[in-house]
Amino acid sequence: MSSPVVHLPVPRIPGRRGRLQDIPVQGKKKVLLAAPRGYCAGVDRAVIAVEKALERYGAPVYVRKQIVHNIHVVTELEKKGAIFVDEVDEVPTGAHVVFSAHGVSPAVVSAASDRGLQAIDATCPLVTKVHREAVRFARDDFEILLIGHEGHEEVEGTAGEAPEHVTVVNSPDHADTIEVRDPSKVVWLSQTTLSVDETMETVRRLRERFPQLQDPPSDDICYATQNRQVAIKKVAVGADLVIVVGSANSSNSVRLVEVALEHGAKAAYRVDYVDEVQQEWLEGVETVGVTSGASVPEVLVSEVLEELAGAGYRDVEEVRTAEEDLIFSLPKELRQDASGKRDSRALGGRGRA
């Protein structure tokens, strides 16, 4: 039995190398390569979870929504037998379904159970932490101001934990219009992949209106999002152009473009694949900054660097602002192989830059 799949844009097939010309500029050409970049621990865990499920149970394995927001990753998993669906009611009764790294609401979990689906929860543990905070504050009858983008899967999942207690705040300007029932019992939480600076501005404006606004027990914005933004800030100061590798529906990738422009880059663009880099972007450019979102495999960055090298940008300097060694255990269903032995990839850890 087949199932309707999520409608994704058709991925571009990377074009041949050597599209970009080596046109002289006034100074020396070089690349500032941001680090950390690329896969975070939550993405690594989620992608390996789908791969392991396919190995363990065979194709097809169904995935609700995109496992992570990257068209290349999704396309490669489709080739291996993953089927991406919008909702669990599109999954055949009794089949295996993986919940994406962005998390799901209790209603989705319940719907999967009602259909007899064998669910594997690949929600990033940092997102799960925010879910638990929402449940706890709702239990204590707080009104939760959830800073995030309306309609984003992570926001829908978190809000679904306590819908009668959650109000989504989309932006700093939106904070100026929010009304609450009891200003003495208000707390803020946030989507994990937002701009750190914009989130703090939203909190500042909320606190101006609600002085008793409480903070979450720990920072909700994920370590990887923060680290990639810190790195691109340092790169942007010295870059004429910044290229961010990442998909359009990846919040953290889109934020990296915005952060680069806010912190000194003269121009910044997001691309999924190397063949999207345009010759005109390089006119008069001495220094190119390069980074990638937290759901981007390093191979896509390598292809961009190779093409830039052909255009004369052969001097690559890594700008590292943090070391990342965090790894997360795979979902419990996948920690053992078919014989019951602990799987060698139980902790994930494909490696990050």
Side-chain angles (χ1 to χ4, degrees):
M1 177 178 177
S2 62
S3 174
V5 299
V6 176
H7 296 293
L8 301 173
V10 177
R12 294 187 181 184
I13 300 173
R16 62 179 178 82
R17 297 294 179 269
R19 291 185 313 108
L20 302 179
Q21 300 176 35
D22 186 354
I23 299 174
V25 296
Q26 188 170 3
K28 181 182 178 182
K29 291 182 175 182
K30 69 175 180 177
V31 172
L32 298 178
L33 180 60
R37 63 185 177 276
Y39 269 13
C40 65
V43 164
D44 200 26
R45 173 182 186 266
V47 175
I48 292 177
V50 178
E51 294 172 345
K52 290 299 302 176
L54 286 164
E55 292 172 12
R56 180 80 178 270
Y57 307 115
V61 166
Y62 294 81
V63 184
R64 182 186 180 274
K65 308 293 187 182
Q66 294 186 25
I67 185 66
V68 297
H69 285 162
N70 184 265
I71 188 173
H72 177 81
V73 171
V74 170
T75 301
E76 291 301 303
L77 290 173
E78 283 181 325
K79 292 176 182 177
K80 296 177 181 180
I83 296 178
F84 294 85
V85 299
D86 280 314
E87 296 299 344
V88 294
D89 62 6
E90 301 168 21
V91 180
T93 302
H96 287 90
V97 62
V98 180
F99 297 146
S100 81
H102 308 104
V104 297
S105 69
V108 173
V109 176
S110 179
S113 177
D114 290 345
R115 290 184 59 77
L117 303 182
Q118 301 182 63
I120 299 168
D121 188 0
T123 302
C124 174
L126 300 181
V127 174
T128 299
K129 175 184 75 72
V130 181
H131 281 223
R132 289 173 179 162
E133 290 171 353
V135 170
R136 179 166 70 84
F137 283 113
R139 186 175 59 239
D140 294 338
D141 201 30
F142 274 80
E143 186 160 357
I144 300 165
L145 301 181
L146 178 58
I147 301 171
H149 299 130
E150 191 91 48
H152 190 281
E153 291 151 41
E154 183 185 330
V155 170
E156 290 179 346
T158 302
E161 295 284 358
E164 68 282 1
H165 286 269
V166 173
T167 299
V168 177
V169 184
N170 282 291
S171 66
D173 287 343
H174 190 202
D176 296 337
T177 67
I178 293 294
E179 299 295 335
V180 300
R181 296 187 305 272
D182 181 356
S184 70
K185 295 203 71 173
V186 186
V187 64
W188 70 271
L189 302 177
S190 79
Q191 181 181 332
T192 62
T193 54
L194 299 178
S195 160
V196 178
D197 295 337
E198 182 174 331
T199 300
M200 291 302 99
E201 173 62 13
T202 302
V203 171
R204 184 189 69 79
R205 286 162 75 163
L206 286 171
R207 186 161 278 120
E208 282 184 350
R209 301 187 61 224
F210 312 117
Q212 296 184 63
L213 177 71
Q214 291 197 26
D215 297 325
S218 61
D219 192 352
D220 284 347
I221 296 177
C222 100
Y223 77 96
T225 296
Q226 296 186 56
N227 287 347
R228 281 147 189 73
Q229 289 177 18
V230 169
I232 201 59
K233 286 178 184 179
K234 190 167 183 179
V235 165
V237 172
D240 302 307
L241 165 70
V242 166
I243 297 172
V244 176
V245 184
S247 291
N249 62 339
S250 166
S251 288
N252 74 89
S253 296
V254 172
R255 299 289 85 72
L256 288 172
V257 174
E258 297 172 351
V259 170
L261 291 170
E262 290 166 0
H263 288 82
K266 297 173 183 175
Y269 300 95
R270 180 202 55 77
V271 300
D272 269 301
Y273 291 106
V274 62
D275 67 335
E276 297 171 31
V277 178
Q278 303 299 310
Q279 182 71 52
E280 56 264 31
W281 297 354
L282 301 176
E283 292 180 7
V285 168
E286 297 177 25
T287 303
V288 181
V290 175
T291 191
S292 59
S295 52
V296 178
E298 184 66 7
V299 63
L300 300 183
V301 176
S302 296
E303 290 174 352
V304 170
L305 294 176
E306 182 181 341
E307 184 71 7
L308 288 173
Y313 299 88
R314 301 178 186 87
D315 180 8
V316 179
E317 175 187 344
E318 186 175 73
V319 179
R320 179 168 292 278
T321 57
E323 298 290 340
E324 293 181 352
D325 56 9
L326 182 65
I327 53 177
F328 294 131
S329 296
L330 291 178
K332 61 182 183 298
E333 299 86 353
L334 303 174
R335 294 175 195 167
Q336 296 179 334
D337 62 22
S339 68
K341 295 181 180 179
R342 183 174 178 82
D343 192 278
S344 61
R345 289 198 296 175
L347 278 175
R350 199 189 315 268
R352 291 164 293 283

